Amino acid sequence: MSTRVIAAYALACVAPLVAFAERIPPMPETTYDIIDDFSHPEPATVWKPMAGSKPVSLVKIGGRTALRMRCNFQGTRMDRASWDHEVKLDLVMCRGLQFLFFCPNASPVAHFTVYLHSGDGWYRVPFDAPASAAWSIITIDKNAANVEGRPAGWDEVDTIRISAWRGQDTDTEFYIAAMGTFGTGGQIMVVRGDSAAAQAPNELESVRRYAGVMSELLDRAGLSHVVLSDLNVTSERLRDIKLIVLPHNPTTPETLTGELVRFLGASGKLVACYNLPASLEASVGIRTGSRISQEYQGHFASIRPSHDGLQGMPAITEQASWNVREASAVEGRSRVAAWWFSDNGQPTGKPAIIASHNCVFVTHVLLSDDPSGKLHLLLAMVGNLVPDLWREAAQSCLDRVGHLGPYDSFGAAKEGITEAASGDSRVLRILETADRLHSQALAMLSEGKYSQAIVTAEESHRSLIDAYCVAQKPLSGEHRAFWCHSAFGVAGMSWDRAVQLLAENGFTAILPNMLWGGVAFYASDVLPVAPAVEEEGDQIDLCVAACRKYGVQCHIWKVNYNMGWAADKTFMAKMKTQGRTQVGYDGSSNDRWLCPSHPENQKLEIDAMLEVARNYGVDGLHFDYIRYPGSESCFCEGCRLRFEKVAGRRLTNWPNCVRNDDSLREKWLDFRRQQITGVVTAVAEEARKIRPDIKISAAVFRDWPVDRNTVGQDWKLWCDRGYLDFVCPMDYTASSSHFERMIEQQLTWAGKVPCYPGIGLSVWSDSADICKLIEQINITRRLATGGFTVFNYGPTQANEVLPLLGKGITRKR
Ligand SMILES: [Zn+2]
């Protein structure tokens, strides 16, 4: 504890559990609804530590109270420090929880999780610690919750659990304060069709997906809203609601239709997609019918306004729908506002949108394609029904202009980018455009031209992003790579074009995934070849040829042990029959994964990679999944026999003995590590004999000291022994401060071996978030890694992200 930046004094005589913190930064003021300010007299009894965790204590900061939670990881075996707080919460009418959070040193924590208990289950939302210098607000969004067991609903939350998961064998602590809610008080309610779980369970996944798409669109529009289960809608909860959205509700509970009729009768408005309960037809004046399937792919490709369209709707909104709902207008009550057009631009004669005075009905769900078109279409629907919401959207859209990278306003962005441009006339010209558009948007807002104000504000924002990208400076000598998960490259693009784009935009390497544990996308003599190779050609040949042509390095990526989605079923069955697939601790079989200790599996892994080195002019071989799936495997009969040889005796009480018997535990973990390391060693040594200048690399988990035990991945050793020429930890977090902390650690483990951190672009909620990507690339530069590796090279990244990088941060000189 000597390195702790916080000093706390217990005032034993006043209140034994309250301490004053000297160097905790001041807490920011909060304006949200507070449900707990932690002013309990006895926090230790209210927040109960789980086994092994320390009791919480209270800290007074500027007259307010925070909880201090200590994580005693040093010298303990606990997976997490964790506390439970009994509550009685109804979170139905809000978007989720929020609280203030401060952690002076988050490195020892892998990640944090908030769990909310309800009924017989939990809602679980993980979060990463933000930058450590100050307090931040953590939001726990209900939409992001994973479900464990069978929770009874958001209105029956009876426990809040906060867990800090062990990342390192070092103690730390964190503070939370001002627990409250967010996302209350909106005028829009999105009703999610949870009743499908009982009546149409196969629809449940799409129910959740399209409720999510709708909520995201409303967020992007800056429209506050709640998402409510269709089982929870009551008159009381509808009191302040002006607009209800049914994003995809294949079933409608009777109580809901009753509420909807009353709501519409009291001048409420409705947007319904794909399904409109028959009992509402009279209230909304719109008739719907049966489902119409597409006659061919591309039949329903875009939504275009009729002569009497909704004000502000786009001329074309693209949407590749596979079926639509039959619907018609009722004379004198509603009208067709838009039609479906096919992909060759022909009208289909099928209505896409029908509008009445209190309802807009879309004949399919809103899909997430054409995000900009979809946003404006939704705004037009909402705005025509409730004009006030349009103003709210326009205002919030204007407020957001300039929120990019490190900037939080138009003024700050303009000033910051101007400074970064250091007189570069290209940047200054783009900034002038952004400025002009911003002024126009403000004028439109004040004239009540909301739709135009939104379009213009967005153009201004895009110009700022463009200027920001152009203002970035490249760094020479950098290793800049993309992983490409598809063996066939970027969808809709040849390997030649995909690699040309990388080269033109300053990237130096690609890591294409050409083989798995059970399938190859090239002419292999070792692994079963994917049938598509016959039609589409040898993918390594095509990729390597393009890389030679444009001067880009090609490191062939193999998924180890995991046979893969494309593995031949007969081959997989054969592996299982031969006892070569994994078995879990509980005896369950994992038919997709090959057992790492089986000698024939090791040979298969090694031979497949060496074959690539021998037959193709590749620059490198790249390991992935070079590990066990988790600590629950492998406990197959072969593993038992092979481990008995290491232990030097017959094992009774298998598999419990490797966990309960201390003399075996370390040996077992070593045994697992050796299986994986053996393959890495053999490939590295043999491949270098075949091709002396070949580079060996690996995609690895983030937290070596933990992962070497849980998944047997001892990558620090691989660096120390020189098996690897570079290593790519998969640091796929959207939190840049977490990203930075992970790399700081990893650089010490990699030692002299270059560490090119993996950036998780395509797994972030915005998979084209150029500003965050630039931020994380700049972190790799600040830490002098010498390069980075971006996941994943797909169409969005190739078409939208790469050209923006090439304008500045990876610009070719
Ligand atoms: Zn095994």
Side-chain angles (χ1 to χ4, degrees):
M1 298 297 284
S2 58
T3 57
R4 223 28 85 247
V5 291
I6 287 154
Y9 304 99
L11 291 180
C13 55
V14 183
L17 290 162
V18 176
F20 288 96
E22 264 202 340
R23 272 174 274 171
I24 301 178
M27 251 192 250
E29 289 303 319
T30 56
T31 51
Y32 52 82
D33 297 335
I34 299 293
I35 53 176
D36 193 348
D37 62 2
F38 304 121
S39 53
H40 330 292
E42 298 284 348
T45 60
V46 182
W47 283 84
K48 296 196 179 88
M50 272 169 81
S53 300
K54 297 274 188 198
V56 301
S57 52
L58 290 188
V59 183
K60 283 278 181 203
I61 301 154
R64 291 152 77 200
T65 313
L67 283 186
R68 176 186 185 215
M69 299 170 133
R70 286 175 293 161
C71 309
N72 50 320
F73 295 143
Q74 194 172 347
T76 62
R77 273 196 195 164
M78 56 203 284
D79 289 338
R80 56 173 155 170
S82 193
W83 298 266
D84 281 3
H85 177 34
E86 273 180 36
V87 290
K88 206 170 160 36
L89 280 182
D90 179 349
L91 298 177
V92 164
M93 289 300 284
C94 66
R95 296 283 302 280
L97 286 181
Q98 63 182 331
F99 51 87
L100 291 174
F101 175 91
F102 171 66
C103 181
N105 173 24
S107 302
V109 180
H111 67 274
F112 295 85
T113 310
V114 168
Y115 297 85
L116 299 164
H117 186 263
S118 158
D120 293 325
W122 295 90
Y123 299 107
R124 168 170 52 89
V125 183
F127 71 92
D128 286 324
S132 58
W135 287 86
S136 346
I137 291 182
I138 300 290
T139 56
I140 301 299
D141 192 334
K142 283 157 55 185
N143 280 344
N146 301 293
V147 169
E148 294 176 4
R150 299 172 66 87
W154 290 102
D155 51 342
E156 291 184 39
V157 172
D158 56 26
T159 304
I160 302 176
R161 170 178 294 173
I162 297 183
S163 298
W165 291 88
R166 169 194 288 274
Q168 288 166 29
D169 192 24
T170 308
D171 288 346
T172 187
E173 62 192 0
F174 64 98
Y175 299 79
I176 60 170
M179 178 76 74
T181 52
F182 79 100
T184 50
Q187 298 179 69
I188 302 176
M189 177 186 285
V190 177
V191 177
R192 194 183 50 219
D194 289 350
S195 62
Q199 299 168 45
N202 55 337
E203 290 276 7
L204 196 58
E205 199 205 317
S206 54
V207 159
R208 300 219 163 120
R209 181 180 325 134
Y210 299 121
V213 169
M214 186 61 75
S215 178
E216 254 169 53
L217 277 171
L218 289 168
D219 268 343
R220 283 178 44 218
L223 289 170
S224 43
H225 61 282
V226 289
V227 180
L228 202 67
S229 164
D230 59 356
L231 303 166
N232 289 141
V233 178
T234 61
S235 309
E236 171 60 22
R237 285 172 177 150
L238 285 173
R239 208 182 44 205
D240 299 322
I241 299 296
K242 289 196 173 148
L243 175 75
I244 289 180
V245 180
L246 303 177
H248 173 43
N249 301 61
T251 57
T252 327
E254 255 176 55
T255 49
L256 176 62
T257 43
E259 289 299 344
L260 286 171
V261 169
R262 267 194 293 282
F263 174 77
L264 290 162
S267 10
K269 306 288 201 262
L270 178 71
V271 168
C273 302
Y274 195 41
N275 307 284
L276 184 68
S279 50
L280 293 188
E281 280 192 16
S283 307
V284 299
I286 295 171
R287 213 171 279 131
T288 62
S290 51
R291 202 169 60 90
I292 311 167
S293 293
Q294 61 182 2
E295 286 164 20
Y296 54 91
Q297 201 170 352
H299 185 190
F300 304 117
S302 67
I303 295 168
R304 305 191 189 189
S306 67
H307 66 279
D308 195 7
L310 300 172
Q311 193 200 334
M313 73 188 290
I316 299 178
T317 306
E318 286 169 19
Q319 168 153 318
S321 283
W322 52 94
N323 63 198
V324 302
R325 175 80 56 194
E326 184 95 61
S328 52
V330 174
E331 177 84 44
R333 294 204 57 195
S334 58
R335 67 184 200 275
V336 174
W339 299 96
W340 284 105
F341 278 64
S342 66
D343 59 356
N344 55 13
Q346 295 304 306
T348 63
K350 301 294 177 201
I353 294 174
I354 310 234
S356 70
H357 80 288
N358 62 356
C359 176
V360 172
F361 178 68
V362 190
T363 59
H364 196 211
V365 295
L366 286 190
L367 303 175
S368 52
D369 52 352
D370 187 8
S372 162
K374 225 49 74 65
L375 177 66
H376 290 288
L377 183 66
L378 179 67
L379 280 167
M381 297 194 281
V382 169
N384 279 272
L385 289 170
V386 189
D388 273 359
L389 290 174
W390 215 333
R391 189 179 53 223
E392 183 189 333
Q395 182 64 58
S396 92
C397 188
L398 258 153
D399 290 346
R400 284 198 310 259
V401 176
H403 284 248
L404 59 101
Y407 315 117
D408 62 0
S409 70
F410 181 84
K414 191 177 150 191
E415 194 180 319
I417 297 169
T418 305
E419 199 187 314
S422 42
D424 185 336
S425 59
R426 292 169 313 156
V427 180
L428 300 178
R429 267 200 308 277
I430 308 171
L431 282 177
E432 276 167 28
T433 307
D435 209 356
R436 180 169 45 78
L437 290 165
H438 187 242
S439 307
Q440 286 172 1
L442 283 170
M444 289 164 179
L445 179 69
S446 63
E447 291 159 21
K449 298 174 180 164
Y450 303 127
S451 170
Q452 286 153 283
I454 289 170
V455 172
T456 311
E458 285 186 339
E459 282 174 18
S460 171
H461 186 70
R462 270 199 300 277
S463 298
L464 283 178
I465 291 180
D466 206 28
Y468 178 63
C469 291
V470 176
Q472 301 297 318
K473 307 275 188 299
L475 177 71
S476 61
E478 204 167 45
H479 173 97
R480 303 174 186 142
F482 257 109
W483 275 294
C484 184
H485 194 262
S486 168
F488 300 94
V490 177
M493 218 178 259
S494 65
W495 264 122
D496 187 274
R497 178 66 186 142
V499 174
Q500 182 186 24
L501 270 176
L502 287 177
E504 282 174 0
N505 290 292
F507 272 67
T508 63
I510 184 161
L511 296 84
N513 179 198
M514 294 295 185
L515 60 162
W516 292 63
V519 66
F521 293 90
Y522 59 93
S524 175
D525 294 325
V526 178
L527 287 168
V529 177
V533 169
E534 191 158 334
E535 254 175 49
E536 317 230 353
D538 182 313
Q539 296 304 303
I540 298 189
D541 260 345
L542 292 170
C543 183
V544 167
C547 286
R548 288 290 149 276
K549 183 168 161 191
Y550 299 107
V552 170
Q553 294 170 36
C554 184
H555 299 264
I556 300 298
W557 160 13
K558 180 176 197 296
V559 170
N560 299 95
Y561 308 115
N562 181 334
M563 286 187 271
W565 57 272
D568 178 59
K569 298 277 174 297
T570 330
F571 177 78
M572 282 178 61
K574 190 175 96 186
M575 292 297 107
K576 185 172 184 180
T577 321
Q578 294 179 358
R580 291 172 61 174
T581 52
Q582 294 192 10
V583 173
Y585 186 77
D586 60 2
S588 59
S589 55
N590 185 347
D591 300 344
R592 196 164 286 285
W593 281 69
L594 295 168
C595 168
S597 82
H598 196 295
E600 287 300 312
N601 292 344
Q602 296 178 350
K603 185 170 178 333
L604 185 67
E605 293 295 330
I606 296 163
D607 288 352
M609 292 183 86
L610 294 180
E611 168 188 61
V612 171
R614 201 173 288 119
N615 295 348
Y616 300 91
V618 299
D619 297 279
L621 296 177
H622 184 68
F623 291 102
D624 185 22
Y625 283 60
I626 185 73
R627 56 178 173 84
Y628 286 79
S631 50
E632 296 305 301
S633 57
C634 175
F635 294 91
C636 72
E637 197 49 29
C639 276
R640 174 199 175 118
L641 293 171
R642 292 183 281 273
F643 182 58
E644 280 183 345
K645 275 199 185 139
V646 175
R649 62 181 158 103
R650 233 189 105 60
L651 299 174
T652 51
N653 196 21
W654 170 268
N656 313 44
C657 57
V658 301
R659 294 192 178 174
N660 302 336
D661 181 340
D662 279 348
S663 70
L664 287 177
R665 189 174 174 276
E666 275 307 309
K667 270 193 188 143
W668 169 247
L669 296 177
D670 261 338
F671 169 79
R672 293 169 89 233
R673 282 191 282 269
Q674 280 163 12
Q675 307 312 316
I676 308 291
T677 296
V679 169
V680 175
T681 312
V683 170
E685 286 174 353
E686 296 302 315
R688 284 166 184 158
K689 286 182 198 157
I690 296 166
R691 200 174 281 280
D693 53 356
I694 200 164
K695 303 280 184 226
I696 307 296
S697 61
V700 297
F701 276 11
R702 310 161 174 188
D703 197 5
W704 162 77
V706 171
D707 300 323
R708 66 193 291 270
N709 289 332
T710 52
V711 298
Q713 187 174 68
D714 205 4
W715 64 266
K716 180 180 183 298
L717 181 82
W718 309 341
C719 293
D720 289 346
R721 293 201 179 153
Y723 302 147
L724 297 186
D725 294 293
F726 62 90
V727 64
C728 311
M730 295 175 283
D731 297 333
Y732 301 166
T733 171
S735 154
S736 292
S737 56
H738 189 209
F739 181 75
E740 180 159 4
R741 284 195 304 273
M742 290 192 285
I743 300 172
E744 280 171 355
Q745 287 288 333
Q746 290 154 357
L747 287 172
T748 66
W749 300 326
K752 289 186 187 135
V753 172
C755 172
Y756 304 138
I759 302 177
L761 172 65
S762 66
V763 295
W764 297 339
S765 60
D766 176 1
S767 62
D769 192 339
I770 182 72
C771 295
K772 192 183 293 290
L773 179 56
I774 286 172
E775 185 172 88
Q776 297 202 352
I777 290 174
N778 279 324
I779 288 171
T780 68
R781 288 183 181 174
R782 202 154 65 233
L783 298 175
T785 63
F788 53 86
T789 317
V790 186
F791 183 82
N792 164 56
Y793 196 35
T796 308
Q797 292 71 34
N799 295 317
E800 292 175 34
V801 179
L802 196 51
L804 285 173
L805 293 175
K807 283 182 180 183
I809 197 159
T810 63
R811 185 167 58 228
K812 290 183 96 166
R813 296 217 179 237

